[in-house]
Amino acid sequence: MATWRIAVLPGDGIGQEVTPQAVRVLDVVGKATGVGFEFEQALVGGAAIDAHGVPLPEATLTLCRQSQAILFGAVGGPQWDSVGQEVRPERGLLAIRKELDLFANLRPAKCFPMLVDASPLKAAVVGGTDIMVIRELTGGLYYGEPRGVERFADGSARAVNTMVYTTREIERVARVGFEVARKRRKRLASVDKSNVLIVSQVWRDVVTALAKEYPDVALEHVLVDNCAMALVQRPTQFDTIVTENTFGDILSDEAAILAGSMGMLPSASLGGSVGLYEPVHGTAPDIAGQGVANPIAAILSAGMLLRYSLNLVQDADRVDAAVMRVLESGLRTRDIAGGGRAAGTREMGDAIVKALEARY
Ligand code: NAD
Ligand code: IPM
Ligand code: MN
């Protein structure tokens, strides 16, 4: 049986609380199937700044490169808000994405039937929502040059970030969009701002040209402001969405509310030889340290790791099913409890581990 090395990077805040629950889930899969997991933990983000002065120590990046997959928590927090922009905790994550060429970020936003009332939106609106947001992850405003700030003697400043995309960068992520849509309901919405941005005009041209290779996928172009509205007005009209880095960041947080909570949204970052799996949410400083964070986004991310990096599709299905089972039983963390009795992070993890063990 194979042995896989998994880099475990919990990071900061609730990243340190939810990631261990995802590891427990992989452990169950390993014990039940005989697949060996070697979990190697490393520092990233604020935790790495505190220990080594940098958000991504060389040893952490090396471990990531030498692993089959990366299980990531979250990075950042108010403690590090005053450090320079280039050494913030978030830089650690951005550097891993870039170094490993993880250009395609899959963020599934699904409204599970038993959670229709967990969303602040009406059940009639969110019911049946099943969207795959594909966010370009290594280009655009996040990485474009020139970037920087000029400071003047009078105290004023001029700051620059650059949104830049090449044809190649657009085409490769759009291709992922078409391929994913093809395996789903064969509808792809490409989201841009081509009525204003030159970058978006090129984006739209490249996607349109590529569509000729995918005649079975219905492509529509949607302007990002309209998409933000349509996501909460009629989310069921969307199947697969592909968009650039910044738009995808913003729209996927919005989409999390269709699923009930930020604590429900997993993600997979693909493209290079090592995949990275992380919840879409951050370190949640408002609830960190209390043991109340929802571990489901992290656990579903572990499921995506099984599916996309290890091709253990049946085991991934079992993880998803175990989460569904536990939610059907009525157990809820605070973010999805609607004021009712709430389980803590550990209790939710225990229940999912038990439900998963029962599926083998
Ligand atoms: P956040 O996602 O951390 O929190 C937003 C809201 O959602 C908060 O009210 C929080 O309590 C809630 N929430 C998030 N995850 C939850 C969970 N699992 N269970 C229950 N409730 C949950 O966003 P923020 O507050 O804007 O950011 C906080 C810090 O996290 C910042 O430093 C930011 O840069 C960082 N961040 C990191 C990542 C990442 O590492 N991938 C992602 C987003 C934000
Ligand atoms: C996310 C986060 C990150 C991003 C931050 C922490 C760098 O918000 O993964 O959505 O903006 O990509
Ligand atoms: Mn984000």
Side-chain angles (χ1 to χ4, degrees):
M1 263 292 172
T3 295
W4 304 118
R5 176 188 279 190
I6 309 294
V8 179
L9 276 50
D12 310 314
I14 64 165
Q16 298 182 356
E17 300 170 39
V18 297
T19 311
Q21 303 307 320
V23 172
R24 289 176 73 199
V25 160
L26 292 180
D27 241 342
V28 172
V29 173
K31 292 209 172 76
T33 61
V35 170
F37 288 112
E38 248 177 55
F39 298 107
E40 293 243 18
Q41 197 141 330
L43 294 174
V44 69
I49 292 174
D50 291 349
H52 303 291
V54 288
L56 180 63
E58 200 55 48
T60 300
L61 183 59
T62 303
L63 171 68
C64 289
R65 288 191 200 285
Q66 292 171 349
S67 300
Q68 190 70 25
I70 303 158
L71 196 58
F72 194 97
V75 288
Q79 310 91 295
W80 303 283
D81 272 350
S82 55
V83 304
Q85 187 61 239
E86 299 301 323
V87 288
R88 285 179 66 97
E90 289 84 350
R91 285 277 141 203
L93 176 57
L94 298 178
I96 295 178
R97 290 172 177 169
K98 191 71 173 177
E99 288 290 330
L100 300 180
D101 205 17
L102 301 170
F103 65 84
N105 182 215
L106 274 50
R107 299 187 157 186
K110 216 169 174 167
C111 175
F112 294 134
M114 70 298 270
L115 289 185
V116 281
D117 293 316
S119 175
L121 297 167
K122 290 194 185 84
V125 173
V126 294
T129 296
D130 179 0
I131 304 173
M132 179 66 90
V133 179
I134 299 165
R135 170 189 177 194
E136 201 290 328
L137 205 57
T138 53
L141 275 178
Y142 276 63
Y143 298 93
E145 298 284 348
R147 57 189 288 135
V149 56
E150 263 181 282
R151 297 195 185 277
F152 305 108
D154 68 355
S156 67
R158 179 176 177 275
V160 180
N161 281 104
T162 304
M163 184 188 276
V164 51
Y165 272 104
T166 62
T167 301
R168 172 182 162 271
E169 287 174 313
I170 299 166
E171 197 188 293
R172 66 181 187 172
V173 73
R175 193 172 286 287
V176 173
F178 281 108
E179 295 288 342
V180 168
R182 187 171 255 180
K183 293 195 194 111
R184 292 171 47 94
R185 299 190 303 279
K186 302 188 193 309
R187 282 190 287 126
L188 180 65
S190 173
V191 176
D192 64 36
K193 185 73 186 173
S194 62
N195 52 345
V196 175
L197 301 175
I198 299 168
V199 173
S200 282
Q201 286 168 15
V202 173
W203 177 283
R204 192 173 279 214
D205 291 346
V206 172
V207 175
T208 303
L210 189 62
K212 295 199 178 65
E213 293 182 36
Y214 298 89
D216 53 322
V217 176
L219 170 68
E220 62 168 339
H221 299 283
V222 185
L223 294 172
V224 63
D225 46 354
N226 178 245
C227 179
M229 184 207 68
L231 270 177
V232 285
Q233 185 190 41
R234 207 158 70 84
T236 51
Q237 82 183 63
F238 292 105
D239 171 22
T240 307
I241 290 175
V242 66
T243 191
E244 67 91 46
N245 204 343
T246 306
F247 299 162
D249 179 45
I250 298 167
L251 294 177
S252 57
D253 266 38
E254 189 187 11
I257 299 309
L258 306 170
S261 158
M262 285 300 292
M264 293 298 299
L265 229 64
S267 87
S269 302
L270 310 173
S273 53
V274 184
L276 182 147
Y277 301 85
E278 60 167 332
V280 168
H281 65 71
T283 55
D286 54 337
I287 58 166
Q290 298 176 24
V292 299
N294 186 348
I296 292 179
I299 288 170
L300 292 175
S301 298
M304 294 184 88
L305 184 157
L306 295 169
R307 190 178 303 280
Y308 294 105
S309 276
L310 308 184
N311 202 24
L312 296 172
V313 176
Q314 286 175 357
D315 301 292
D317 287 344
R318 286 188 175 100
V319 171
D320 292 353
V323 169
M324 296 288 277
R325 183 80 213 89
V326 168
L327 289 173
E328 272 161 10
S329 79
L331 198 71
R332 301 281 185 272
T333 44
R334 198 167 74 186
D335 55 316
I336 50 174
R341 191 195 98 77
T345 309
R346 173 84 204 190
E347 188 184 346
M348 180 56 87
D350 286 346
I352 294 171
V353 160
K354 210 164 143 229
L356 182 59
E357 283 167 345
R359 307 198 83 81
Y360 284 99

